[in-house]
Amino acid sequence: MIDPVLLRENPDVVRRSQEARGDSVEVVDEALQADVERRAAITAFEELRAEQNAFGKQVAQAPKEQKKELVAQAQELAGRVKEAQRTASDAETRFSEVLRRIGNPIIDGVPAGGEDDFVVIKTVGEIPAFDFEARDHLELGELLGAIDMARGAKVAGARFSYLRGIGARLEIALMNMALDKAVGNGFIPMITPTLVKPEIMQGTGFLGAHADEVYHLPADDLYLTGTSEVALAGYHADEIIDVTEPLRYAGWSTCYRREAGSAGKDTRGIIRVHQFNKLEMFVYTLPENAEAEHGRLLGWQEEMMQELGLSYRVIDTAAGDLGSSAARKYDVEAWIPTQGRYRELTSTSNCTTFQARRLEVRHRGENGKTSPVATLNGTLATTRWIVAILETHQQEDGSVRVPEALRPYLGGLEVLEPIAR
């Protein structure tokens, strides 16, 4: 949820953000009008309640013969106060509903436009070249006995798979490497719930335009999370926390996404699946420190990419591709040799105070008043990374060199050898 003061005092900032996102600009005026009506209704209620309190004292002090008439007037006034309170409550609800339709105002410099309007910030590493015909990750995974899509589909349907043998070990090694990096940088490891209540899913901004991506269990009214960001954002909901130093959590969880609208896209292999594992960084910090923290999250992601020997680029995602809660998002895309292009492996988002306002996560300032904290997130490892690792480090015979930094997590194994030729 955006800051109502920003909306009231700088509506043009919000309008420009909505326009850059490709979202409704008219909703800003709708929200401004709803705010006027809300404040008027609250004022009317408070004035009536003050009148009621004053009248109550008058009744208490009145002579006995006047009290009957005054009590009747007090009852009539009480009815008006109750109605004014209901009107104020309805106006508050209406304002909140309209405000929730406005995306987080983007940070200055975020490019306008949609999915293809990103700006490349940097490109790192040489694009791998082979003197043989490169195999894609699924062919390599099958040679290594690491990926079984056919049985995944048999058991669970399309876009499900089994990681087996060295495939399972590779994912666990990758996650443990990421966990060590996170812990070394002050993150508290967390195994998070993967089912959350509607108010937590709503609070993080995942039940907006992309609600059809989320699995819902109607019988329990719970949602399966597509990232541990959701559970980590809800961890301090309705709390006042100390963020003098950033609170950093690393959530390890299985994630679920319906991939609605992706029919026919990335149906081969494990690039776009319904279930995967992920280690997610999540930070609570002071709003004025959020942009610097965003840079640190990106830096740790880049360290992982470099240590794994991957060629990658960093892009500043365009406003229309951000999602409602992010004010800025950097994607890190690795080169996928058989596709001849960069594909997103990870991203990191600065959500400023947007999620914290919805979830009532606050800190206490020097003046004793409370205000929302800022939240940020960024993935440090996920199942999709296996795609880039296998394809980048493959050899002509179908074996795969293990990046040196990953070897300690695989018992010193240097090469993944095919089990079928």
Side-chain angles (χ1 to χ4, degrees):
M1 185 181 297
I2 71 168
D3 183 354
V5 176
L6 175 67
L7 172 72
R8 195 177 306 133
E9 296 182 354
N10 294 287
D12 285 342
V13 170
V14 184
R15 289 190 182 97
R16 285 194 296 271
S17 175
Q18 288 291 102
E19 185 176 12
R21 286 175 172 275
D23 291 341
S24 168
V25 176
E26 291 73 20
V27 72
V28 178
D29 292 323
E30 192 177 341
L32 286 168
Q33 181 59 37
D35 187 36
V36 169
E37 294 171 0
R38 173 186 73 97
R39 296 168 71 195
I42 291 171
T43 298
F45 165 62
E46 290 176 344
E47 288 175 349
L48 271 174
R49 187 168 58 179
E51 182 182 340
Q52 182 186 37
N53 291 337
F55 194 76
K57 293 177 182 178
Q58 182 181 340
V59 171
Q61 296 170 1
K64 185 176 180 181
E65 60 273 14
Q66 294 181 8
K67 280 194 175 182
K68 185 176 181 180
E69 181 181 348
L70 292 174
V71 165
Q73 293 179 33
Q75 289 174 341
E76 187 271 336
L77 181 56
R80 288 165 56 203
V81 169
K82 190 174 182 180
E83 179 61 29
Q85 184 177 27
R86 184 163 42 247
T87 300
S89 177
D90 290 346
E92 188 76 58
T93 299
R94 165 67 178 156
F95 176 61
S96 179
E97 288 173 350
V98 178
L99 210 59
R100 285 176 182 273
R101 289 160 46 198
I102 299 175
N104 195 359
I106 61 173
I107 292 169
D108 286 345
V110 170
E115 184 178 359
D116 299 324
D117 297 309
F118 58 84
V119 171
V120 177
I121 296 173
K122 66 169 76 169
T123 301
V124 179
E126 293 184 10
I127 290 176
F130 306 99
D131 55 7
F132 57 88
E133 186 176 350
R135 297 175 172 89
D136 74 3
H137 76 280
L138 181 55
E139 185 178 355
L140 289 164
E142 290 173 342
L143 283 172
L144 297 168
I147 302 172
D148 192 334
M149 299 297 299
R151 289 187 176 91
K154 177 178 71 174
V155 170
R159 299 187 190 274
F160 285 93
S161 69
Y162 284 88
L163 292 182
R164 60 187 299 273
I166 194 60
R169 290 182 63 197
L170 184 59
E171 178 168 281
I172 293 169
L174 184 60
M175 296 283 281
N176 274 314
M177 177 182 168
L179 185 61
D180 277 356
K181 181 169 289 293
V183 170
N185 286 289
F187 286 80
I188 299 170
M190 303 276 273
I191 304 294
T192 64
T194 56
L195 285 165
V196 300
K197 297 176 180 178
E199 56 267 31
I200 302 299
M201 187 66 83
Q202 177 72 45
T204 49
F206 283 90
L207 291 185
H210 299 287
D212 59 351
E213 295 286 336
V214 182
Y215 284 104
H216 182 222
L217 282 65
D220 305 284
D221 198 19
L222 293 172
Y223 289 89
L224 279 167
T225 58
T227 169
S228 61
E229 171 194 343
V230 179
L232 293 172
Y235 187 66
H236 287 299
D238 301 312
E239 294 181 19
I240 298 172
I241 60 176
D242 182 2
V243 286
T244 306
E245 294 295 327
L247 276 178
R248 298 182 178 131
Y249 298 108
W252 185 326
S253 75
T254 302
C255 306
Y256 305 88
R257 295 184 185 175
R258 293 185 66 239
E259 292 293 349
S262 65
K265 296 179 181 177
D266 297 314
T267 56
R268 181 171 169 80
I270 59 171
I271 289 181
R272 195 186 295 268
V273 292
H274 291 309
Q275 176 185 323
F276 54 94
N277 287 311
K278 185 151 71 86
L279 189 79
E280 185 78 1
M281 301 178 287
F282 193 89
V283 181
Y284 297 89
T285 191
L286 293 170
E288 59 268 29
N289 296 338
E291 289 195 59
E293 185 71 5
H294 199 194
R296 285 187 281 269
L297 294 181
L298 177 60
W300 293 320
Q301 291 174 327
E302 288 195 69
E303 285 178 12
M304 283 287 292
M305 290 282 167
Q306 292 166 16
E307 289 167 13
L308 292 169
L310 300 178
S311 302
Y312 68 92
R313 70 181 183 183
V314 178
I315 67 169
D316 195 354
T317 307
D321 199 30
L322 285 180
S324 63
S325 60
R328 171 167 253 153
K329 177 165 75 81
Y330 299 121
D331 285 349
V332 183
E333 303 179 328
W335 181 261
I336 307 299
T338 62
Q339 295 192 10
R341 61 183 177 130
Y342 293 99
R343 298 297 305 270
E344 179 200 336
L345 285 201
T346 181
S347 65
T348 174
S349 297
N350 180 358
C351 296
T352 61
T353 61
F354 187 84
Q355 293 176 329
R357 287 181 189 280
R358 290 175 169 228
L359 293 167
E360 290 291 328
V361 186
R362 296 158 291 157
H363 72 100
R364 195 176 300 281
E366 293 180 0
N367 58 6
K369 293 183 179 179
T370 63
S371 58
V373 302
T375 61
L376 303 98
N377 63 80
T379 303
L380 206 50
T382 188
T383 303
R384 185 184 284 190
W385 289 36
I386 293 173
V387 174
I389 291 171
L390 293 182
E391 292 205 15
T392 297
H393 299 299
Q394 65 178 294
Q395 301 182 107
E396 188 172 8
D397 64 353
S399 63
V400 175
R401 288 178 293 103
V402 178
E404 190 171 343
L406 196 56
R407 291 173 188 174
Y409 300 94
L410 286 168
L413 191 63
E414 296 183 7
V415 178
L416 311 181
E417 298 284 357
I419 62 170
R421 293 183 184 273

